[in-house]
Amino acid sequence: MKTITKNDIKKSLDELGIHDGQILMVHTSLSAIGYVCGGAQVVIEALIEAVGNDGTIMMPTQSWKNLDPADGVHWTIDEKDWQIVRDNWPAYDKKITPTNTMGAVAEMFRSWPGSLRSDHPARSVAAWGKHAEHLVSGHDLSNIFGEGSPIGKLYGLDGDVLLIGVGYDKNTSIHLADVRAEYPGKHNCIEHSAVMENGKRVWKEYETLFVDGEDFEQIGEAFEKEYPVKKTMLGDAELKLMKQRDIVDFAVKWIEKNRGGEK
């Protein structure tokens, strides 16, 4: 197994054309790369050095276990214990609440010096750099992925999406297309999360769009046939760079044509 250094990471980012001032939404699997000398730390350092002080990096830092057990997120416990979770799950604290299955890089990035994290108790993002405060502010409970959410704001800034060793099923930006598209079966759902209100921990109910991402890989496959996606390798991981507006706009059309409608 080849040992990957920070210089190797920087070389791959350079091959993709990552540049000073760029605005990036990054999804990454550290383990997919192979053995990285320095682990998550050097991946973040390389990204920050690539975009510079005028750039911005955003990553998903979701803590989706802070949802109701009825949603299937606490599958290891018996239904008779669901109320225990509702009564005792810790309230979201953006400074300390860990991520769930977001990967080692995102887990380190959420508390990286200079990083800011949004207030959503289950679907937060963290951002570093010039536009970080703008991206993470005002992340409303019911507006997880829509206009005015961090993903929606990234679209407004004409940012890019970088996938490192992960597929389109991890491409959170496609959820903005979920919001914008009209398709049969589109509906809202009720979610619950533990939050702090007026200094007290409460189990908060909120309504939001139901999304599952089951067709995101199909969307990605179709997208790459029509749009340019820059690719390179880093160890065992494939890197893909795309314009966020391209993937979102394409996904809106794909969803309206294929999801629950014309095939």
Side-chain angles (χ1 to χ4, degrees):
M1 180 184 295
K2 183 180 186 293
T3 297
I4 303 299
T5 67
K6 186 165 80 171
N7 282 338
D8 294 322
I9 301 169
K10 293 175 71 173
K11 180 180 178 182
S12 291
L13 296 178
D14 185 62
E15 288 172 356
L16 288 177
I18 305 298
H19 57 82
D20 187 75
Q22 196 160 4
I23 304 167
L24 284 176
M25 177 63 167
V26 182
H27 303 269
T28 181
S29 168
L30 184 66
S31 62
I33 300 171
Y35 182 77
V36 178
C37 181
Q41 176 182 337
V42 299
V43 174
I44 297 170
E45 288 176 351
L47 287 164
I48 287 174
E49 291 171 19
V51 303
N53 291 331
D54 288 331
T56 306
I57 297 167
M58 185 162 71
M59 296 188 193
T61 53
Q62 297 183 28
S63 48
W64 47 260
K65 284 201 172 183
N66 190 1
L67 290 170
D68 197 278
D71 295 330
V73 298
H74 297 279
W75 57 88
T76 60
I77 66 171
D78 293 331
E79 186 173 349
K80 64 181 177 60
D81 291 332
W82 285 2
Q83 194 58 44
I84 296 176
V85 173
R86 295 172 181 137
D87 293 341
N88 292 278
W89 195 264
Y92 175 70
D93 183 333
K94 60 186 176 183
K95 294 181 179 179
I96 64 173
T97 298
T99 61
N100 297 137
T101 64
M102 296 293 104
V105 176
E107 173 61 20
M108 178 174 282
F109 184 72
R110 70 174 176 83
S111 56
W112 192 266
S115 283
L116 303 175
R117 193 178 185 187
S118 71
D119 288 325
H120 200 281
R123 307 281 174 54
S124 68
V125 300
W128 175 97
K130 182 176 181 179
H131 299 287
E133 186 172 359
H134 168 67
L135 287 167
V136 305
S137 63
H139 197 178
D140 184 78
L141 277 173
S142 294
N143 184 19
I144 299 174
F145 302 119
E147 314 302 333
S149 72
I151 294 299
K153 291 177 181 179
L154 185 71
Y155 187 97
L157 292 171
D158 196 16
D160 297 295
V161 175
L162 175 61
L163 306 179
I164 303 178
V166 299
Y168 283 86
D169 60 321
K170 305 299 183 185
N171 194 337
T172 308
S173 292
I174 302 177
H175 284 307
L176 178 58
D178 280 326
V179 175
R180 293 181 173 181
E182 296 299 330
Y183 54 93
K186 183 177 182 178
H187 66 281
N188 286 355
C189 63
I190 300 297
E191 294 188 345
H192 302 78
S193 296
V195 300
M196 294 296 293
E197 279 192 349
N198 301 316
K200 182 180 179 182
R201 183 246 183 227
V202 299
W203 190 241
K204 183 77 172 182
E205 177 180 301
Y206 52 97
E207 184 176 359
T208 189
L209 178 68
F210 174 80
V211 295
D212 60 25
E214 287 187 354
D215 52 14
F216 282 13
E217 286 287 1
Q218 293 174 265
I219 292 171
E221 182 179 356
F223 172 72
E224 291 193 8
K225 294 177 181 178
E226 297 189 24
Y227 282 81
V229 175
K230 296 180 180 179
K231 300 179 182 181
T232 192
M233 295 298 296
L234 174 60
D236 295 330
E238 185 175 45
L239 278 58
K240 297 183 178 184
L241 178 70
M242 67 205 72
K243 301 296 296 182
Q244 195 221 28
R245 288 182 180 177
D246 285 349
I247 183 63
V248 171
D249 294 348
F250 175 84
V252 169
K253 296 176 182 177
W254 190 97
I255 288 169
E256 291 184 338
K257 179 180 179 181
N258 295 281
R259 190 181 291 174
E262 179 188 349
K263 299 296 183 182

